[in-house]
Amino acid sequence: MNGVRERLASRALTSVAVVIAILWTTPTLGLLLSSLRPEEEIKTTGWWTVFGAPHLTLDNYGEVLSGGANGSGRLAEHFVNSVVITLPSVLFPLVLAFFAAYALAWIDFRGRDALVVGIFALQVVPLQMALVPLLKLFSQGWLFLPAWHLTGPARFGQVWFAHTVFALPFAVFLLHNFLASLPRDLIEAARVDGASHGTLLLRIVLPLARPALVGFAVIQFVWVWNDLLVALTLSGGTAETAPMTVRLASLAGTYGNEWQRLTAGAFVAALLPLLVFFALRRHFARGLLAGSVKG
């Protein structure tokens, strides 16, 4: 009897999961089909009518990527800017947080616990509250720090700095929880054998921490790639520095009725994050549980 109940419960949970998955992906399917429909049909009929009278075209993607006849898109020109902004904004906090998390987890020093609590508390600070101080720092300087006065592509440095600062509290907290859960016997045995902190980091801790590192890297990549506020505020919003999100915000047109551009542009912008996620999904799933089990 218990076996029958367990099978029925398992089937019920499976059915619920399938229904949730269908409901979750239906808007994405509608967006995809809309991006392949002609402009006239998108503005006059719903996306579900494509099943009765399928008229598909790639003109929307051509307009968004190359600009078409009116030069309204040219999203491809901003793709490189997004890559230039995103990759350093992932690598910088990842490296800094890894060293900080190791020190907080395996090096004894006074005030360590208070520092961990302080780093955790920084996660509740809204990003918007830090934009004005950052703008003041970049334009006027602060204390012993001179003003940056960056123009053109050099303004990428401001965006990298902002994303690194905003990401460090969460990155340190995540990696610290994972590194602190590593077997103490393994670390102590390596120390007895004469391993230095550098050896421990590169040969023992780094391979074991790969799931946590990949998990944070994927989260940070998607966050920075989809960011609009920081990029628009600190990069200047010009064509030579603006990422894809800034350009997407202007694709709707003056009256917000250019839906065919938005649907196609949304899938162009989502392509690289999807590739990154599917390439690293196995490590990402393990990284989400980083530090959840002690020992």
Side-chain angles (χ1 to χ4, degrees):
M1 183 64 67
N2 291 334
V4 174
R5 291 179 179 177
E6 290 179 359
R7 286 195 296 269
L8 291 177
S10 178
R11 292 177 181 176
L13 292 175
T14 302
S15 301
V16 171
V18 171
V19 172
I20 293 176
I22 293 175
L23 294 176
W24 187 268
T25 55
T26 296
T28 305
L29 175 63
L31 187 66
L32 174 61
L33 294 177
S34 297
S35 68
L36 297 172
R37 301 178 69 207
E39 177 181 354
E40 296 77 12
E41 295 187 7
I42 293 178
K43 295 181 178 180
T44 55
T45 60
W47 62 267
W48 51 88
T49 59
V50 72
F51 298 106
H55 298 138
L56 304 181
T57 178
L58 294 176
D59 292 344
N60 298 332
Y61 287 93
E63 179 182 355
V64 166
L65 292 174
S66 62
N70 56 3
S72 58
R74 297 179 182 175
L75 198 62
E77 298 179 3
H78 299 266
F79 183 87
V80 176
N81 291 342
S82 290
V83 174
V84 172
I85 289 175
T86 303
L87 291 183
S89 298
V90 173
L91 294 177
F92 291 159
L94 190 65
V95 174
L96 294 175
F98 179 64
F99 286 109
Y102 173 82
L104 293 172
W106 293 106
I107 299 178
D108 294 327
F109 57 90
R110 181 177 300 178
R112 183 181 64 175
D113 294 338
L115 185 57
V116 172
V117 174
I119 292 175
F120 175 75
L122 286 174
Q123 297 184 67
V124 303
V125 178
L127 179 151
Q128 294 81 359
M129 290 183 60
L131 287 180
V132 173
L134 280 177
L135 286 173
K136 183 177 180 180
L137 169 64
F138 296 144
S139 61
Q140 302 178 13
W142 182 69
L143 295 179
F144 58 89
L145 297 176
W148 290 35
H149 298 308
L150 300 179
T151 58
R155 298 194 68 168
F156 285 136
Q158 298 181 172
V159 185
W160 298 339
F161 181 85
H163 280 303
T164 300
V165 171
F166 295 144
L168 275 176
F170 172 70
V172 173
F173 177 73
L174 175 67
L175 296 178
H176 169 264
N177 287 348
F178 184 86
L179 298 185
S181 67
L182 295 177
R184 178 168 295 274
D185 294 341
L186 177 64
I187 304 299
E188 294 297 336
R191 288 176 176 174
V192 171
D193 291 337
S196 62
H197 287 299
T199 303
L200 285 173
L201 271 173
L202 298 179
R203 297 190 178 183
I204 297 179
V205 177
L206 181 59
L208 294 175
R210 184 179 303 172
L213 294 173
V214 172
F216 169 75
V218 173
I219 294 174
Q220 178 70 357
F221 185 95
V222 175
W223 170 263
V224 177
W225 185 269
N226 293 328
D227 168 72
L228 173 63
L229 179 61
V230 176
L232 181 61
T233 304
L234 299 181
S235 71
T238 60
E240 59 181 348
T241 58
M244 296 180 67
T245 50
V246 175
R247 187 55 179 166
L248 278 174
S250 64
L251 287 181
T254 304
Y255 301 101
N257 62 342
E258 299 298 334
W259 303 337
Q260 77 282 358
R261 302 179 192 168
L262 291 177
T263 55
F267 270 90
V268 172
L271 180 60
L272 188 56
L274 286 175
L275 293 176
V276 171
F277 173 77
F278 284 115
L280 303 174
R281 66 184 183 278
R282 182 177 303 176
H283 295 289
F284 177 70
R286 294 176 58 192
L288 290 179
L289 302 176
S292 61
V293 180
K294 189 73 175 177

